Amino acid sequence: MKTDRPSEEVLNAFVDGEFCPEERLACLRHIASDDSLSREVCDLSQIKEMVNLAYEKVPHPPRSSSRRARTVRGGWLGPAAAAVVVMLTTAGVVGLGIGTKEPARQFTTADMTQPLYGSERFANRILLHVNTRDEERLTNMLDEVESLMAASRQQGVALQILVVTHGEGLALVREDVSPFPERITALSERYAEGLKFVACLNTIERLRREEHLHVRLLPVAEVVNSGVAEVIRRQSQGWAYIQV
Amino acid sequence: MKKIMLSLAALAALMLALPGTALAVDYGTQKVVYHINGGDPQQNQAALRNIQNHINAVGADNMDIKVVMHGAGLNLLINAKENENLRGAVDSLKLQNVEFQVCANTVRGRNLDISKDLYDATEKDVIPSGVAHLSYLQAQGYTYVKP
């Protein structure tokens, strides 16, 4: 695998989220298998964030990214990617052993009092990938996490939610800049059996290295070596994946 | 000997033919969920364009696509009431059996009226929780895409 290392252009496209799902999964696999590659991707996302930060006030030029996406897309890894996807999807479907019916749609609005889609068919392990510090998105996520955890406890359904923060998303669990420190602490304590917040060590070390910042995390947050690797590992274990 | 040569030739022909057939891309059928939680009209328009391109590549008959919106993502349907381009894209995707689903938590939190505030939405398009629904669909074998 070392020989067909993805090009810089491919890695950039990956970081910019320009891949279709097949390509993304194949690329994730590749990155997970290689520590130096993970680090490179981590650095790339950080560069992207810094650039975004620098240009926060500048309006986006129309459609500059879509053109690059098109040039990059043409068949990276082609068949290999397809094979990996087939493997992953087969593993996922077989592993979960799930029925095919949609949940009944009798709910109206509010409805966390309705059953949580039945414990068998519902994915009980959810990974929330946080690489943004957009407060609206984060608030929305915490609202949803809270109502899901409450519903799962009320109904006696075991639900695990893992919130993985890295890059810009690390802000969520940083003691100095977290927009919702009390809420995160309270939620983690209340739902200690199923809800966990983790932070990417690569990001923490990068901040120390480049900005001489000694990050202190909220006490409820745990540390993982690499946020990206954690995301990949859990997905390959059948966790549902949602990017916040 | 001749026999062996012949079978070798046949084998070679087969090996040549195989990669050729692999070139014709057949994606089979696909189940995909698109996740939208950003409210920028240009990005939303681009997301809908992604979906159309996806359909073009795979064929509408081979696809089961759901668009799950929550948080600021509901702006897509709010803006579609005024914005002709968004509206057109939503209409056209719906004709190709794409389902648009909105999160009840957001509807309640933002105090929205489903039929008045959201373009072409009804009670049956409402799902109780965006996160729960995205997880549920993935457990059903839907591929997750965040455009």
Side-chain angles (χ1 to χ4, degrees), chain A residues 53-202:
Chain A
L53 204 65
Y55 286 91
E56 212 163 32
K57 299 268 151 49
V58 183
H60 285 284
R63 298 183 199 186
S64 59
S65 67
S66 60
R67 177 165 304 159
R68 197 177 83 196
R70 220 166 296 136
T71 59
V72 168
R73 267 181 194 187
W76 173 66
L77 278 181
V84 169
V85 170
V86 168
M87 264 159 53
L88 285 179
T89 34
T90 315
V93 171
V94 171
L96 289 162
I98 287 159
T100 51
K101 271 164 71 183
E102 269 239 51
R105 285 255 191 77
Q106 71 271 47
F107 40 72
T108 52
T109 38
D111 251 342
M112 287 330 278
T113 52
Q114 293 281 333
L116 262 184
Y117 295 174
S119 55
E120 303 256 311
R121 289 177 290 131
F122 177 65
N124 286 333
R125 297 174 302 166
I126 305 172
L127 185 143
L128 298 173
H129 179 192
V130 179
N131 57 359
T132 172
R133 64 197 301 170
D134 181 298
E135 287 197 19
E136 187 176 1
R137 288 182 187 215
L138 295 174
T139 305
N140 189 254
M141 174 194 82
L142 291 175
D143 290 347
E144 295 243 2
V145 164
E146 182 163 12
S147 61
L148 280 178
M149 291 312 300
S152 76
R153 177 176 288 179
Q154 194 188 343
Q155 295 167 26
V157 176
L159 172 65
Q160 281 178 279
I161 296 183
L162 180 68
V163 182
V164 178
T165 65
H166 75 118
E168 212 174 296
L170 189 75
L172 184 68
V173 292
R174 268 173 61 181
E175 212 172 53
D176 53 345
V177 293
S178 174
F180 321 102
E182 293 90 8
R183 188 168 186 200
I184 288 166
T185 307
L187 280 174
S188 313
E189 284 167 358
R190 195 179 327 145
Y191 300 110
E193 75 282 4
L195 176 62
K196 207 195 274 187
F197 290 83
V198 301
C200 171
L201 184 61
N202 287 335

Side-chain angles (χ1 to χ4, degrees), chain A residues 99 101 110 144 241 243, chain B residues 108 129 136 138 140 144 146:
Chain A
K101 271 164 71 183
E144 295 243 2
Y241 169 83
Q243 193 189 334
Chain B
R108 202 172 55 250
S129 148
Y136 165 78
Q138 287 179 70
Q140 304 302 304
Y144 172 89
K146 180 83 181 272

Side-chain angles (χ1 to χ4, degrees), chain B residues 86-98:
Chain B
L86 275 175
R87 193 163 61 232
V90 170
D91 284 341
S92 144
L93 289 172
K94 280 191 170 178
L95 284 173
Q96 299 166 86
N97 298 323
V98 174

Side-chain angles (χ1 to χ4, degrees), chain A residues 12-28:
Chain A
N12 271 302
F14 173 79
V15 168
D16 292 344
E18 291 172 350
F19 281 148
C20 69
E22 289 85 356
E23 290 166 326
R24 186 173 65 84
L25 272 175
C27 202
L28 277 171

Side-chain angles (χ1 to χ4, degrees), chain A residues 1 5-6 11 13 26 43 52 74 81 91 94 127 131 139 142 151 155-156 162 185 194 205 218 225 231 236:
Chain A
M1 282 303 257
R5 189 177 186 288
L11 291 180
D43 286 346
N52 282 345
V94 171
L127 185 143
N131 57 359
T139 305
L142 291 175
Q155 295 167 26
L162 180 68
T185 307
E205 283 180 346
L218 298 173
N225 284 333
V231 166
S236 65

